[in-house]
Amino acid sequence: MWFQQDGATCHTARETMDMLKDEFSEQFISRNGPVSWPPRSCDLTPLDYFLWGYVKSLVYVGKPKTIKALEDNITRVIRGIQAEMLEKVVQNWTFRMDHLKRSRGQHLHDVIFKK
């Protein structure tokens, strides 16, 4: 299993990096980690370009009033994600990777974002 964290500076504190090394050995992607955080990676990771926005758009419907309600909404939304949707996300990710390879790492401004 691989672990990927975003490039936020607060996520690369010495204690955090030590914990990641203990837990994942060399199999984690992070700024200052064994595998560098890729440039423009928000365009590359399904969590960033799809999942968090999708989940957030459904979790906040009804404006949860308590932490418990928020946690329940998050759990419900994530459990409700259909396999077909995840297959489309993986297809879109593969398309992005192919485009990135062809463009030699340039911006993904020509990528058509599909639902």
Side-chain angles (χ1 to χ4, degrees), residues 30 47 59-60 104 106 115:
S30 175
L47 293 177
V59 163
Y60 287 100
R104 297 178 182 251
Q106 299 299 310
K115 289 186 178 186

Side-chain angles (χ1 to χ4, degrees), residues 7 16 22 31 39 44 53-54 58-59 61 69 71 74-75 81 108 112 114:
T16 302
D22 290 345
R31 181 181 296 167
L44 304 179
Y54 174 77
L58 297 175
V59 163
V61 170
E71 290 171 347
I74 292 168
T75 300
I81 296 173
L108 300 178
I112 298 171
K114 302 175 184 177

